[in-house]
Amino acid sequence: ETGVTQSPTHLIKTRGQQVTLRCSSQSGHNTVSWYQQALGQGPQFIFQYYREEENGRGNFPPRFSGLQFPNYSSELNVNALELDDSALYLCASSRGPQSSYNEQFFGPGTRLTVL
Amino acid sequence: AQTVTQSQPEMSVQEAETVTLSCTYDTSESNYYLFWYKQPPSRQMILVIRQEAYKQQNATENRFSVNFQKAAKSFSLKISDSQLGDTAMYFCAFMGAITGNQFYFGTGTSLTVIP
Protein backbone atom coordinates (compact mmCIF):
# COMPACT_ATOMS: atom_id res chain seq x y z
CA GLU A 1 0.00 0.00 0.00
CA THR A 2 1.53 3.31 -1.12
CA GLY A 3 1.48 6.09 1.44
CA VAL A 4 0.73 9.77 0.94
CA THR A 5 3.22 11.44 -1.36
CA GLN A 6 3.80 15.12 -2.06
CA SER A 7 5.71 16.99 -4.73
CA PRO A 8 7.91 18.86 -4.96
CA THR A 9 9.91 18.40 -1.78
CA HIS A 10 11.27 21.92 -1.79
CA LEU A 11 10.31 25.01 -3.74
CA ILE A 12 11.61 28.56 -3.89
CA LYS A 13 9.44 31.34 -5.29
CA THR A 14 9.46 35.11 -5.27
CA ARG A 15 6.80 37.38 -3.88
CA GLY A 16 3.83 37.81 -6.21
CA GLN A 17 4.34 34.51 -8.03
CA GLN A 18 1.94 31.60 -8.09
CA VAL A 19 2.67 28.06 -6.93
CA THR A 20 1.03 24.64 -7.25
CA LEU A 21 1.71 21.86 -4.78
CA ARG A 22 0.63 18.28 -5.38
CA CYS A 23 -0.52 15.44 -3.17
CA SER A 24 -1.26 11.82 -3.99
CA SER A 25 -3.56 10.22 -1.49
CA GLN A 26 -3.12 6.80 -0.02
CA SER A 27 -4.82 3.94 -1.83
CA GLY A 28 -8.48 3.65 -0.84
CA HIS A 29 -8.67 7.21 0.50
CA ASN A 30 -11.17 9.70 -0.97
CA THR A 31 -10.46 12.69 1.24
CA VAL A 32 -7.51 15.06 1.28
CA SER A 33 -6.82 17.82 3.80
CA TRP A 34 -4.18 20.53 3.47
CA TYR A 35 -2.30 22.20 6.30
CA GLN A 36 0.20 25.04 6.54
CA GLN A 37 2.95 24.64 9.13
CA ALA A 38 4.98 27.80 9.68
CA LEU A 39 8.37 27.46 11.33
CA GLY A 40 8.01 26.72 15.02
CA GLN A 41 4.23 26.40 14.81
CA GLY A 42 1.71 23.62 14.65
CA PRO A 43 -0.06 22.87 11.39
CA GLN A 44 -3.04 25.07 10.51
CA PHE A 45 -5.98 23.71 8.52
CA ILE A 46 -6.34 25.24 5.07
CA PHE A 47 -9.15 23.15 3.56
CA GLN A 48 -10.39 19.66 2.88
CA TYR A 49 -11.51 18.01 -0.34
CA TYR A 50 -13.94 15.10 -0.41
CA ARG A 51 -14.99 13.49 -3.69
CA GLU A 52 -13.69 16.47 -5.68
CA GLU A 53 -15.60 19.10 -3.67
CA GLU A 54 -14.30 21.46 -1.00
CA ASN A 55 -15.57 20.21 2.35
CA GLY A 56 -14.56 22.80 4.90
CA ARG A 57 -12.06 25.64 4.95
CA GLY A 58 -9.90 27.24 7.58
CA ASN A 59 -9.07 30.91 7.99
CA PHE A 60 -7.13 31.36 4.76
CA PRO A 61 -7.75 33.97 2.03
CA PRO A 62 -9.23 33.06 -1.38
CA ARG A 63 -5.80 33.15 -3.02
CA PHE A 64 -5.39 29.71 -1.46
CA SER A 65 -7.38 27.35 -3.66
CA GLY A 66 -7.44 23.68 -4.36
CA LEU A 67 -8.56 20.89 -6.59
CA GLN A 68 -9.22 17.21 -6.20
CA PHE A 69 -9.12 14.89 -9.17
CA PRO A 70 -11.17 11.74 -9.91
CA ASN A 71 -8.28 9.59 -8.63
CA TYR A 72 -8.50 11.62 -5.37
CA SER A 73 -5.10 13.24 -5.76
CA SER A 74 -5.13 16.93 -4.97
CA GLU A 75 -3.48 20.25 -5.73
CA LEU A 76 -3.02 23.30 -3.57
CA ASN A 77 -2.63 26.56 -5.48
CA VAL A 78 -1.44 29.78 -3.93
CA ASN A 79 -1.62 33.01 -5.94
CA ALA A 80 0.13 36.31 -5.29
CA LEU A 81 2.65 34.76 -2.93
CA GLU A 82 3.59 36.70 0.18
CA LEU A 83 6.64 36.32 2.39
CA ASP A 84 4.43 34.90 5.18
CA ASP A 85 3.42 32.03 2.91
CA SER A 86 6.84 30.50 3.55
CA ALA A 87 6.05 27.28 5.38
CA LEU A 88 5.87 23.52 5.25
CA TYR A 89 2.67 22.47 3.48
CA LEU A 90 1.29 19.13 4.58
CA CYS A 91 -1.42 17.09 3.02
CA ALA A 92 -3.23 14.26 4.72
CA SER A 93 -5.56 11.66 3.27
CA SER A 94 -8.27 9.60 4.90
CA ARG A 95 -11.01 7.13 4.02
CA GLY A 96 -13.69 9.72 4.63
CA PRO A 97 -14.26 13.33 5.62
CA GLN A 98 -15.07 12.71 9.25
CA SER A 99 -11.55 12.64 10.57
CA SER A 100 -12.67 11.93 14.09
CA TYR A 101 -12.95 8.25 13.16
CA ASN A 102 -11.13 8.17 9.84
CA GLU A 103 -7.46 8.44 10.63
CA GLN A 104 -5.60 11.03 8.62
CA PHE A 105 -2.31 9.87 7.12
CA PHE A 106 0.14 12.69 6.48
CA GLY A 107 2.58 13.14 3.65
CA PRO A 108 6.17 14.34 4.14
CA GLY A 109 5.31 17.90 3.14
CA THR A 110 6.52 20.51 0.67
CA ARG A 111 8.83 23.20 2.00
CA LEU A 112 7.93 26.50 0.28
CA THR A 113 10.25 29.48 0.59
CA VAL A 114 9.08 32.86 -0.67
CA LEU A 115 11.79 35.45 -1.26
CA ALA B 1 -13.08 28.98 18.69
CA GLN B 2 -10.93 26.08 19.70
CA THR B 3 -7.43 26.61 21.05
CA VAL B 4 -4.75 24.12 21.99
CA THR B 5 -1.82 25.09 24.20
CA GLN B 6 1.42 23.23 24.70
CA SER B 7 3.46 25.10 27.28
CA GLN B 8 6.65 23.06 27.01
CA PRO B 9 8.55 24.03 23.85
CA GLU B 10 11.40 21.60 24.58
CA MET B 11 11.90 18.61 26.83
CA SER B 12 14.52 15.93 27.26
CA VAL B 13 14.51 12.53 28.92
CA GLN B 14 17.05 9.82 29.55
CA GLU B 15 16.64 6.64 27.60
CA ALA B 16 14.40 4.12 29.41
CA GLU B 17 12.94 6.85 31.66
CA THR B 18 9.40 8.22 31.65
CA VAL B 19 8.37 11.65 30.42
CA THR B 20 5.07 13.53 30.38
CA LEU B 21 4.13 16.13 27.81
CA SER B 22 1.42 18.63 28.71
CA CYS B 23 -1.48 19.93 26.68
CA THR B 24 -4.46 22.07 27.55
CA TYR B 25 -7.31 23.08 25.29
CA ASP B 26 -10.32 25.32 25.26
CA THR B 27 -13.63 24.58 23.61
CA SER B 28 -17.33 25.09 24.07
CA GLU B 29 -18.15 21.78 22.41
CA SER B 30 -19.28 18.94 24.62
CA ASN B 31 -18.15 16.14 22.36
CA TYR B 32 -14.77 16.07 20.71
CA TYR B 33 -11.64 14.08 20.10
CA LEU B 34 -8.07 14.64 21.20
CA PHE B 35 -4.93 13.36 19.55
CA TRP B 36 -1.19 13.26 19.96
CA TYR B 37 0.86 13.29 16.79
CA LYS B 38 4.58 12.70 16.43
CA GLN B 39 6.66 14.47 13.79
CA PRO B 40 10.16 12.99 13.54
CA PRO B 41 12.95 14.92 11.83
CA SER B 42 11.86 13.28 8.53
CA ARG B 43 8.73 15.46 8.90
CA GLN B 44 6.01 12.83 8.32
CA MET B 45 3.37 13.20 11.03
CA ILE B 46 2.33 9.96 12.69
CA LEU B 47 -0.66 9.38 14.96
CA VAL B 48 0.47 8.31 18.42
CA ILE B 49 -2.78 8.07 20.33
CA ARG B 50 -6.35 9.36 20.34
CA GLN B 51 -8.98 9.91 23.00
CA GLU B 52 -12.73 10.33 22.66
CA ALA B 53 -14.01 12.94 25.11
CA TYR B 54 -17.07 10.86 26.00
CA LYS B 55 -14.87 8.00 27.21
CA GLN B 56 -13.74 8.28 30.79
CA GLN B 57 -11.06 5.65 30.43
CA ASN B 58 -7.66 7.00 29.43
CA ALA B 59 -6.33 5.71 26.12
CA THR B 60 -3.22 3.53 26.05
CA GLU B 61 -1.06 2.38 23.14
CA ASN B 62 1.88 0.25 24.26
CA ARG B 63 4.37 2.65 25.90
CA PHE B 64 2.14 5.67 25.30
CA SER B 65 -0.73 6.65 27.55
CA VAL B 66 -2.74 9.77 28.22
CA ASN B 67 -4.11 11.49 31.29
CA PHE B 68 -7.36 13.04 30.15
CA GLN B 69 -8.94 15.47 32.61
CA LYS B 70 -12.10 16.74 30.91
CA ALA B 71 -13.12 19.23 33.58
CA ALA B 72 -9.65 20.76 33.59
CA LYS B 73 -9.43 20.53 29.78
CA SER B 74 -6.09 18.84 30.10
CA PHE B 75 -4.68 16.05 27.93
CA SER B 76 -1.13 14.99 28.76
CA LEU B 77 0.92 12.29 27.08
CA LYS B 78 3.08 9.90 29.07
CA ILE B 79 5.86 8.03 27.34
CA SER B 80 7.25 5.14 29.33
CA ASP B 81 10.58 3.40 28.73
CA SER B 82 11.67 6.19 26.37
CA GLN B 83 13.58 5.08 23.30
CA LEU B 84 15.93 6.99 20.99
CA GLY B 85 13.32 6.71 18.24
CA ASP B 86 10.92 8.74 20.35
CA THR B 87 12.98 11.86 19.61
CA ALA B 88 10.59 14.10 17.65
CA MET B 89 8.18 17.02 17.79
CA TYR B 90 4.96 16.08 19.51
CA PHE B 91 1.76 17.89 18.66
CA CYS B 92 -1.44 17.83 20.63
CA ALA B 93 -4.53 18.22 18.45
CA PHE B 94 -8.25 18.81 18.96
CA MET B 95 -11.13 17.91 16.67
CA GLY B 96 -14.72 18.82 17.37
CA ALA B 97 -17.43 16.24 16.77
CA ILE B 98 -19.66 18.73 14.96
CA THR B 99 -17.35 19.55 12.06
CA GLY B 100 -15.09 16.54 12.41
CA ASN B 101 -12.93 17.50 9.48
CA GLN B 102 -10.22 19.78 10.81
CA PHE B 103 -7.58 19.52 13.46
CA TYR B 104 -6.58 22.35 15.75
CA PHE B 105 -2.94 21.79 16.66
CA GLY B 106 -0.81 23.12 19.47
CA THR B 107 2.60 24.62 18.83
CA GLY B 108 4.38 21.40 19.67
CA THR B 109 6.92 20.06 22.16
CA SER B 110 10.35 19.05 20.93
CA LEU B 111 11.36 15.89 22.80
CA THR B 112 14.93 14.65 22.85
CA VAL B 113 15.75 11.22 24.24
CA ILE B 114 19.30 11.17 25.58
CA PRO B 115 21.25 7.91 25.37
Side-chain angles (χ1 to χ4, degrees):
Chain A
E1 186 177 75
T2 307
V4 180
T5 60
Q6 293 185 243
S7 63
T9 305
H10 296 88
L11 201 54
I12 300 175
K13 291 285 189 177
T14 56
R15 196 169 45 181
Q17 284 189 311
Q18 178 265 343
V19 68
T20 297
L21 310 182
R22 295 177 176 84
C23 172
S24 291
S25 58
Q26 190 163 311
S27 176
H29 290 186
N30 58 19
T31 302
V32 173
S33 301
W34 285 92
Y35 293 84
Q36 180 195 65
Q37 186 177 9
L39 196 62
Q41 300 296 317
Q44 282 196 295
F45 177 72
I46 303 175
F47 42 56
Q48 182 184 80
Y49 276 83
Y50 170 57
R51 292 184 175 178
E52 303 179 57
E53 297 288 331
E54 187 178 289
N55 181 52
R57 186 180 184 93
N59 189 26
F60 280 82
R63 59 189 186 85
F64 286 77
S65 63
L67 281 174
Q68 188 177 32
F69 300 99
N71 67 354
Y72 303 126
S73 66
S74 178
E75 287 183 354
L76 164 64
N77 298 290
V78 187
N79 293 321
L81 283 167
E82 301 176 359
L83 297 179
D84 285 349
D85 296 334
S86 294
L88 181 67
Y89 287 85
L90 299 170
C91 81
S93 75
S94 55
R95 291 188 182 277
Q98 289 298 313
S99 300
S100 52
Y101 53 81
N102 289 305
E103 182 179 345
Q104 290 196 6
F105 292 83
F106 285 83
T110 293
R111 172 72 65 189
L112 172 64
T113 302
V114 182
L115 302 176
Chain B
Q2 279 66 236
T3 59
V4 178
T5 302
Q6 294 179 250
S7 59
Q8 306 153 313
E10 295 181 358
M11 293 192 72
S12 61
V13 62
Q14 291 290 139
E15 194 174 5
E17 296 295 306
T18 295
V19 65
T20 298
L21 310 183
S22 301
C23 172
T24 58
Y25 59 93
D26 192 22
T27 183
S28 57
E29 296 193 40
S30 58
N31 196 18
Y32 49 86
Y33 305 84
L34 296 163
F35 305 79
W36 279 97
Y37 274 87
K38 169 184 177 181
Q39 189 176 41
S42 66
R43 300 182 304 185
Q44 205 138 0
M45 298 265 281
I46 305 166
L47 177 64
V48 175
I49 199 165
R50 58 173 278 161
Q51 174 82 42
E52 290 87 351
Y54 60 85
K55 290 187 178 179
Q56 291 186 337
Q57 187 172 7
N58 289 324
T60 300
E61 287 287 343
N62 301 314
R63 299 183 295 108
F64 299 88
S65 61
V66 299
N67 183 6
F68 173 48
Q69 302 289 327
K70 191 172 183 179
K73 294 182 179 174
S74 170
F75 182 62
S76 60
L77 174 69
K78 186 171 83 171
I79 306 174
S80 304
D81 185 26
S82 296
Q83 301 175 359
L84 297 179
D86 294 333
T87 293
M89 282 291 291
Y90 286 81
F91 291 97
C92 177
F94 170 99
M95 178 173 291
I98 295 174
T99 52
N101 67 351
Q102 63 173 283
F103 287 111
Y104 294 87
F105 286 92
T107 51
T109 296
S110 177
L111 176 67
T112 301
V113 179
I114 303 166

